[in-house]
Amino acid sequence: MPSRIWKHSLVVIILVSGALLPAGVAAQGRPGPGATSGGLASSPSGVASVSLDITVRGPNGAPIQEMAMVTLSTHVAGVYRQGTTMAGHAIFENVAPTHYNVEVIAPGFEKGAKEFDAEGMGTLIINVELRQGSGNVDSAVAMPPILLAPKAQKEMGKALQALRADKLAEARTHLAVAYRLAPNHPIVNYLYGVYWLKSKDWTQAKSYLMKTVELSPSHAGALLSLSELLLRDNKADEAIPYLKRAAEAEPSSWRAHAVMAHAQMQHGSTEEAIKEAERALELGHGQAAMVQPLLARALIKNGDIERAKSVLKDYIKDHPDDTSAKNQLERLQIPSVPNSVNEAPSAASAAKPAALMDVAAGLPKALNWRPPDVDEKIPSVEPGVACVLDEVLQKAGKRVKEFVKNVDRFTASESLKHEAIDKWGLAGSPALRKFDYVVAVEEAKAGLLNVREYRGGRDSPADFPDGVATTGLPALVLIFHPYNAGNYEMTCEGLTHWNGGLAWQIHFRQRPDKPNTIRAYRLGIDGPSYDVALKGRAWILADSFQIARLETDIVAPIPQIRLVADHTAIEYGPVQFRNRKVEMWLPQSAELYYDWKGQRIHRRHSFSNYLLFAVEDRQRISDPKTEN
């Protein structure tokens, strides 16, 4: 049956149960004093194991007194254990007997590393000597995230609940305990910063937020909050670099672009403000509706009065009680006084960044840890613009066919960031992976497409965090291939703005009377496969009919495998041959959120350094671009 062959060639996520992982990989180990388990853990019962005393010494040969981060890894499992030193020692108990790499990072010292074999009985002492550093190296950049001890994690959870409920005294009590236990943990400092923001003590807030950024330079919440404090003092020039870092850290964050829009308005860069506000609305949809009055104000300053009216009408339709926006629109509709709006913007249009971001918005929300379902709300579109669905699908399908025809295979550098979300909504320390990524696309015969993926010899699910391999991201675009489009109910929702241009917004949903050929979950390498019906939305560029973004959700949970949610969002960008006039749209980044067997996971995949193998072999092409 060709359809079955095709389906299995497009499996998107393979879930592997712990029982199928190699011995010594699946079980969670118990860390010794000064060490914290990093996820992959210890030797199973019945297998000889040893304890490790990693002793970190300075140039004088004595154990260092500074805290150092110690990471154990293996060639097979990657990161195996992670811990911090106490008086120069990190103890790892019940360690599987195998070959290890140990890496040590400490402030003021150069990074140290050593390879060794863990053999024998009892405790094995491994000495790692560090050389003195220059003293001005930003060790926080290289320092791996410190894992919270269980008691500190519990106090953090209680503080988070109290902050959400605005119970500031209770929050401070729990934060004080957490701070005593983990004074150099970025999340502890960040939540302390949020506490002081809520208490309106800007000096204390800035102090804790600055420390957060020193400990974790890419902490988006702290970067956004620092930007807000600077914008309160009308220091847009100082806020903009922080906002750029926040957008780089979380490219899918609408809040970063929303606050950047405010900063650009304050800076006097109206066109940049419009661009950032539009991007915030593209990414945040209904969540970012509060940006619309700011966008209207920027459009007015740029002379686009008619579009400003349209934006405000769309906003007021969903927010009829916002009198400030209504007054803003009424003033615009008086032909003789359009400039008065520029001179005296309404409260809504002149909203401070706190109104755009909300100091509590950066707090992890246990119930909203993933983006809203695609059917929760339809993103706004231009009113009164007709959409010819058949034409859009025909032209988009032609682009997908060109992709299959022109691409034999492509390679890329893939970066993976994996975070587990706990019951409080807090993300655990991220697990990072890098792969040499290869994708082969072919039409084996008419009606049969084949997409195969390789990751530089690391194709085992054990190479991925939690033993869960992500595959099939390039295959999602094939939903719009003519072979497959008929399996979905397609609806054109209208024309919308996208990255400074226009795009057709298409909703799709798996038809119950048609075969499901795109996504399946498989338990184990040779285990059973479960079809997963998808629904989603695509943004198809109005000029080129290339697919610029795809978002998908599952139609319904799969109780047989305890799959509750699976949300994917992929951004595509153009890549070009340097010597040929061929342009292909390939994945630039992908955000995945899934709730499976009680585990809530967020992953971000980033792709760069593309090399395309097609008619002309081995021609390097540029990284994906996001702007037209």
Side-chain angles (χ1 to χ4, degrees):
M1 296 176 62
S3 62
R4 298 299 294 178
I5 295 173
W6 184 27
K7 178 180 78 69
H8 285 293
S9 70
L10 300 179
V11 170
V12 174
I13 296 182
I14 303 174
L15 299 180
V16 181
S17 64
L20 294 180
L21 292 179
V25 175
Q28 184 78 12
R30 182 180 178 182
T36 307
S37 173
L40 298 175
S42 59
S43 176
S45 60
V47 179
S49 64
V50 298
S51 294
L52 299 178
D53 178 355
I54 308 297
T55 303
V56 182
R57 302 181 184 276
N60 61 358
I64 67 170
Q65 299 305 305
E66 296 85 348
M67 184 196 71
M69 176 63 67
V70 180
T71 302
L72 279 179
S73 62
T74 70
H75 293 300
V76 175
V79 175
Y80 180 75
R81 295 273 195 90
Q82 186 182 61
T84 56
T85 58
M86 182 179 296
H89 296 268
I91 310 298
F92 297 89
E93 296 179 343
N94 195 27
V95 171
T98 187
H99 186 82
Y100 289 98
N101 297 317
V102 61
E103 182 177 275
V104 179
I105 298 174
F109 296 91
E110 295 181 4
K111 182 171 67 174
K114 193 169 188 177
E115 294 189 24
F116 64 93
D117 291 310
E119 296 178 346
M121 301 291 290
T123 299
L124 179 64
I125 298 175
I126 304 297
N127 289 296
V128 180
E129 185 173 327
L130 301 183
R131 295 182 179 180
Q132 200 72 40
S134 61
N136 58 0
V137 178
D138 187 2
S139 60
V141 174
M143 180 75 73
I146 305 169
L147 304 180
L148 279 172
K151 185 177 180 181
Q153 182 86 350
K154 183 178 180 180
E155 293 295 332
M156 287 290 292
K158 291 180 178 179
L160 186 57
Q161 280 188 320
L163 285 172
R164 288 186 186 133
D166 285 327
K167 297 178 179 179
L168 298 186
E170 181 181 337
R172 185 170 184 177
T173 299
H174 294 298
L175 284 169
V177 177
Y179 192 81
R180 284 199 301 271
L181 295 170
N184 293 316
H185 197 285
I187 296 179
V188 177
N189 283 275
Y190 172 62
L191 290 189
Y192 237 138
V194 171
Y195 163 79
W196 289 114
L197 284 174
K198 284 178 168 284
S199 301
K200 301 189 184 303
D201 188 328
W202 314 129
T203 302
Q204 287 279 23
K206 186 175 181 180
S207 173
Y208 281 95
L209 293 170
M210 287 296 294
K211 185 174 180 181
T212 303
V213 172
E214 290 171 4
L215 294 167
S216 178
S218 60
H219 193 293
L223 292 166
L224 283 175
S225 296
L226 276 173
S227 303
E228 179 217 344
L229 290 175
L230 291 167
L231 290 174
R232 285 177 183 274
D233 296 332
N234 294 316
K235 296 179 179 178
D237 288 345
E238 295 180 34
I240 287 173
Y242 284 115
L243 290 166
K244 288 181 178 178
R245 286 168 59 182
E248 290 172 359
E250 292 189 5
S252 59
S253 168
W254 68 266
R255 289 187 179 89
H257 294 280
V259 183
M260 178 66 88
H262 179 92
Q264 294 292 357
M265 281 291 289
Q266 193 180 103
H267 189 259
S269 304
T270 308
E271 291 186 359
E272 286 298 314
I274 293 172
K275 175 183 173 182
E276 295 294 336
E278 288 175 338
R279 185 59 175 160
L281 290 166
E282 291 168 359
L283 293 171
H285 307 319
Q287 292 178 300
M290 64 186 75
V291 181
Q292 289 176 294
L294 176 63
L295 173 59
R297 181 184 170 206
L299 289 167
I300 293 165
K301 283 186 172 291
N302 215 38
D304 195 344
I305 305 299
E306 291 306 313
R307 190 174 166 216
K309 292 179 184 178
S310 175
V311 169
L312 284 172
K313 288 177 182 177
D314 186 54
Y315 172 77
I316 292 169
K317 182 172 59 179
D318 293 327
H319 302 82
D321 297 330
D322 192 331
T323 55
S324 296
K326 287 182 177 180
N327 293 337
Q328 186 182 13
L329 179 61
E330 288 174 2
R331 287 193 294 271
L332 276 180
Q333 291 174 331
I334 302 174
S336 59
V337 289
N339 292 330
S340 66
V341 182
N342 295 340
E343 296 166 5
S346 69
S349 65
K352 289 290 184 182
L356 296 173
M357 188 180 71
D358 180 4
V359 293
L363 295 174
K365 295 180 174 61
L367 297 179
N368 296 322
W369 64 277
R370 66 179 187 270
D373 185 275
V374 294
D375 286 343
E376 194 167 310
K377 185 178 179 181
I378 300 176
S380 61
V381 295
E382 288 291 321
V385 179
C387 175
V388 183
L389 177 62
D390 290 344
E391 180 182 357
V392 175
L393 294 181
Q394 186 268 331
K395 292 182 177 180
K398 181 179 178 181
R399 292 301 192 190
V400 177
K401 288 176 66 177
E402 291 173 354
F403 166 75
V404 174
K405 178 181 178 181
N406 291 336
V407 178
D408 291 336
R409 64 192 185 279
F410 63 83
T411 68
S413 298
E414 179 186 22
S415 298
L416 167 63
K417 179 181 178 181
H418 170 102
E419 296 175 318
I421 312 297
D422 69 10
K423 66 177 182 179
W424 308 108
L426 289 167
S429 296
L432 306 177
R433 299 286 190 276
K434 287 187 179 293
F435 299 100
D436 294 325
Y437 185 53
V438 181
V439 177
V441 183
E442 64 179 352
E443 184 171 0
K445 61 181 180 180
L448 179 62
L449 301 175
N450 191 21
V451 178
R452 292 173 294 164
E453 297 170 70
Y454 312 91
R455 285 181 167 91
R458 299 173 62 188
D459 297 320
S460 169
D463 292 323
F464 287 79
D466 289 346
V468 180
T470 304
T471 63
L473 293 175
L476 281 180
V477 74
L478 299 180
I479 287 173
F480 288 88
H481 193 284
Y483 292 161
N484 202 47
N487 295 338
Y488 291 82
E489 298 172 355
M490 301 275 192
T491 305
C492 184
E493 296 172 335
L495 190 67
T496 189
H497 293 266
W498 184 261
N499 258 354
L502 296 173
W504 295 109
Q505 189 169 290
I506 306 295
H507 182 276
F508 56 87
R509 184 185 180 94
Q510 173 73 45
R511 289 177 53 175
D513 60 332
K514 294 292 184 177
N516 178 359
T517 57
I518 291 293
R519 176 166 291 182
Y521 271 63
R522 181 181 296 138
L523 302 181
I525 302 298
D526 300 314
S529 179
Y530 295 85
D531 291 345
V532 178
L534 295 179
K535 60 183 179 181
R537 184 170 283 113
W539 285 263
I540 299 174
L541 299 181
D543 55 352
S544 65
F545 293 91
Q546 296 283 5
I547 297 172
R549 180 180 173 88
L550 269 176
E551 289 187 17
T552 66
D553 280 292
I554 57 176
V555 171
I558 312 296
Q560 301 95 315
I561 56 174
R562 296 172 59 193
L563 178 64
V564 177
D566 179 344
H567 180 94
T568 302
I570 305 178
E571 296 268 359
Y572 297 86
V575 292
Q576 295 179 337
F577 283 107
R578 288 184 174 179
N579 299 324
R580 299 178 69 244
K581 295 181 179 180
V582 174
E583 179 179 88
M584 306 306 301
W585 279 65
L586 300 173
Q588 177 185 5
S589 65
E591 303 274 355
L592 284 77
Y593 305 80
Y594 62 87
D595 187 334
W596 174 69
K597 295 181 69 175
Q599 293 183 311
R600 293 184 287 189
I601 301 298
H602 169 224
R603 283 183 173 179
R604 174 173 175 79
H605 296 255
S606 302
F607 304 94
S608 61
N609 301 322
Y610 273 94
L611 183 66
L612 202 63
F613 296 81
V615 179
E616 292 184 8
D617 204 23
R618 292 188 177 276
Q619 291 196 65
R620 185 167 295 279
I621 52 178
S622 61
D623 290 350
K625 302 174 183 178
T626 56
E627 296 181 7
N628 294 334

